Amino acid sequence: MKFNTKLLHEGVRREREFGATLSPIYQSSAFDQPSAEDLEKIFSGKSGGYCYTRVGNPTVTEFENRITKLEGGAVSTACASGLAAISNALLNILKTGDEIISAAGLYGGTIDLFEEFEAFGIKTVWVDANDIETVRSKITENTRVIFAETIGNPKLDVTDIDALSALAHENGIPLIIDNTVATPFIVRPIEHGADIVVNSSSKYINGSANSISGVITDAGKFKWDIERYPNLAPYKKFGPFAYTSKLKNGLWRNTGACLAPQNAFLNMIGLETLGIRMERHSNNALELARFLDSYEGITVNYPGLKSSPWHDIAAGLNDKYFGGIVTVRVGSKENAFKLINSLKIAYKLSNIGDTKTLVVHPSSTVAAHSTDKQKEEAGVFEDLVRISVGIEDIEDLKEDFEKALAEIGFTRS
Ligand SMILES: *Cc1c(COP(=O)(O)O)cnc(C)c1O
């Protein structure tokens, strides 16, 4: 099956009571079993089945299975948010004294999270993840994971996942990729060597900004060395599945990071149109990026433009679609605020991946907790505006930007 068909048919449970075409929402905290013996078997993992929604829920399982198919992984774990997914994905294998090597151009919330880890003795070394020789030089005996985003939010740098995963594997280290901005429609990181993929499904996967959620997809291929990853020791017998077995039977269930069944249901509805939405988001973003690029005094960053330093890497991953996020530098914070305030169609808020166009000033919002150095490395400037381009008619979007820019005094060259 090709991608759009998969979205509708793979991982979907079809044998439904009454012939409903959508799976019911199992809005139940706990599940009744025929006998104490059955319950014992479920608790010991000797048989499948459900007991308590924090540990598993049929609606959530279906969502997980559908994401597994899309990312081309072996198994997925759904979480209450993208950050719950990222924290679980990492803490599942890390302990005090370990080091993360991470791309510097990360989502601000993830940078803040990695700083929280410092209180537990887990250090992050920030790098340009495409500078393979520097990344190599930063690997120490304590490095336990390499982390990057497919398309950085909001830096819009694109990771050469093939090169980074090759380096990670040479050193016996797994690569975890945050695929939120690209989505599996544009890039499937596992096909390029990633071991674990995380998505904030709050964004494009849900698609209509109606629920917060995240998901961890395990490729099931990494050879876990139990001496280096002692957290996984009790799950050694599961081989390549040691990681997800630990997650589901350990950290994830014990941190209570589960996804609500109602939100899994809403995600599955949104998911079905991911392909056509991403096509539209990407085409609109490319056209808007080209339009804004024709202005004097505005610097446009979009992986689909040849002027992007990451265009070639992006085109190597997908030469047709480059995602829905565009950033512009407009000369000053004052201009950035004026542009945001003058737009009529765009919503002014800190989110991406909605059907509607959204604009934000990252420096004073999502990256507000970062230091100046972190902001610089993450491509967050005082005059930067991030645009999450929606699926409106592009003529209306261009007109909205044209009018707003005219008000500030920008002209096309
Ligand atoms: C939004 C976002 C997250 C965090 O996801 P939440 O669902 O808000 O917790 C992580 N990574 C990226 C790239 C994001 O855009």
Side-chain angles (χ1 to χ4, degrees):
M1 278 187 206
K2 293 223 172 71
F3 193 83
N4 285 298
T5 315
K6 275 190 190 174
L7 283 173
L8 301 169
H9 298 291
E10 279 211 320
V12 176
R13 279 188 319 120
R14 276 181 89 139
E15 51 293 287
R16 294 178 202 102
E17 231 182 340
F18 311 121
T21 56
L22 294 174
S23 298
I25 307 168
Y26 287 96
Q27 193 67 35
S28 184
S29 306
F31 297 85
D32 182 34
Q33 295 301 337
S35 69
E37 287 79 6
D38 287 301
L39 210 49
E40 183 182 37
K41 276 189 206 139
I42 293 173
F43 267 79
S44 68
K46 289 205 178 77
S47 79
Y50 296 95
C51 54
Y52 191 59
T53 282
R54 172 161 50 72
V55 178
N57 175 285
T59 315
V60 176
T61 304
E62 185 174 348
F63 172 61
E64 291 173 339
N65 292 343
R66 292 176 76 166
I67 294 291
T68 300
K69 297 287 182 191
L70 298 180
E71 286 289 5
V75 57
S76 298
T77 307
C79 300
S81 69
L83 279 173
I86 296 170
S87 42
N88 268 268
L90 288 158
L91 294 179
N92 196 45
I93 45 173
L94 297 180
K95 55 174 179 25
T96 302
D98 289 349
E99 290 173 13
I100 304 167
I101 292 185
S102 175
L106 292 188
Y107 171 71
T110 309
I111 295 177
D112 293 349
L113 171 70
F114 289 2
E115 291 206 335
E116 295 290 335
F117 288 171
E118 279 178 24
F120 304 93
I122 296 166
K123 188 176 129 188
T124 303
V125 179
W126 302 101
V127 293
D128 171 351
N130 288 325
D131 180 351
I132 293 294
E133 287 320 307
T134 305
V135 180
R136 189 191 304 280
S137 75
K138 302 279 183 186
I139 295 175
T140 72
E141 58 181 23
N142 297 321
T143 307
R144 289 293 176 273
V145 65
I146 300 182
F147 186 91
E149 291 174 9
T150 312
I151 303 177
N153 173 13
K155 193 176 186 181
L156 304 180
D157 52 339
V158 182
T159 303
D160 184 344
I161 303 171
D162 295 274
L164 197 57
S165 64
L167 175 70
H169 296 160
E170 264 172 49
N171 291 279
I173 301 166
L175 174 65
I176 302 187
I177 293 285
D178 179 339
N179 200 33
T180 303
V181 174
T183 80
F185 173 74
I186 296 183
V187 182
R188 287 165 299 282
I190 290 171
E191 289 174 3
H192 300 275
D195 301 290
I196 311 286
V197 177
V198 289
N199 276 287
S200 165
S201 34
S202 319
K203 314 290 172 56
Y204 292 103
I205 288 175
N206 171 277
S208 297
N210 59 43
S211 345
I212 299 292
S213 64
V215 56
I216 304 166
T217 303
D218 181 355
K221 289 183 190 152
F222 191 76
K223 306 260 181 304
W224 299 99
D225 172 353
I226 299 306
E227 268 174 36
R228 304 186 71 203
Y229 298 93
N231 298 6
L232 301 184
Y235 302 93
K236 190 169 182 268
K237 62 179 180 225
F238 298 106
F241 294 99
Y243 177 89
T244 296
S245 305
K246 157 79 167 73
L247 197 60
K248 293 216 176 192
N249 296 296
L251 188 76
W252 172 79
R253 78 160 59 171
N254 294 330
T255 51
C258 65
L259 177 61
Q262 174 85 35
N263 289 356
F265 175 80
L266 291 167
N267 286 346
M268 287 192 279
I269 303 223
L271 188 65
E272 301 199 339
T273 56
L274 179 67
I276 54 172
R277 279 186 287 107
M278 287 314 292
E279 242 182 274
R280 175 77 166 208
H281 281 297
S282 296
N283 291 340
N284 273 0
L286 181 60
E287 193 164 338
L288 186 66
R290 285 186 178 141
F291 176 70
L292 296 171
D293 207 25
S294 68
Y295 277 84
E296 210 79 71
I298 293 182
T299 314
V300 183
N301 183 12
Y302 182 64
L305 292 183
K306 292 217 167 60
S307 57
S308 159
W310 303 286
H311 177 73
D312 290 346
I313 296 172
L317 293 168
N318 188 324
D319 60 6
K320 214 163 151 203
Y321 301 110
F322 299 90
I325 315 289
V326 176
T327 64
V328 287
R329 292 188 67 177
V330 291
S332 65
K333 179 177 177 181
E334 197 192 345
N335 281 350
F337 275 36
K338 274 192 199 158
L339 172 60
I340 290 169
N341 293 338
S342 306
L343 289 165
K344 298 277 184 299
I345 291 177
Y347 281 72
K348 301 151 188 61
L349 53 80
S350 64
N351 190 16
I352 59 167
D354 198 339
T355 44
K356 305 161 193 75
T357 294
L358 319 171
V359 290
V360 75
H361 179 249
S363 181
S364 61
T365 57
V366 279
H369 298 131
S370 297
T371 62
D372 287 346
K373 182 167 180 286
Q374 281 172 334
K375 282 188 190 179
E376 197 189 316
E377 287 181 346
V380 173
F381 306 100
E382 279 298 293
D383 65 341
L384 187 87
V385 176
R386 182 185 72 194
I387 309 159
S388 175
V389 183
I391 60 172
E392 296 93 344
D393 287 299
I394 187 63
E395 295 76 13
D396 292 325
L397 290 181
K398 286 204 284 199
E399 193 185 312
D400 198 18
F401 277 87
E402 191 170 21
K403 284 185 181 156
L405 289 168
E407 273 178 42
I408 319 171
F410 281 104
T411 54
R412 299 181 71 187
S413 49

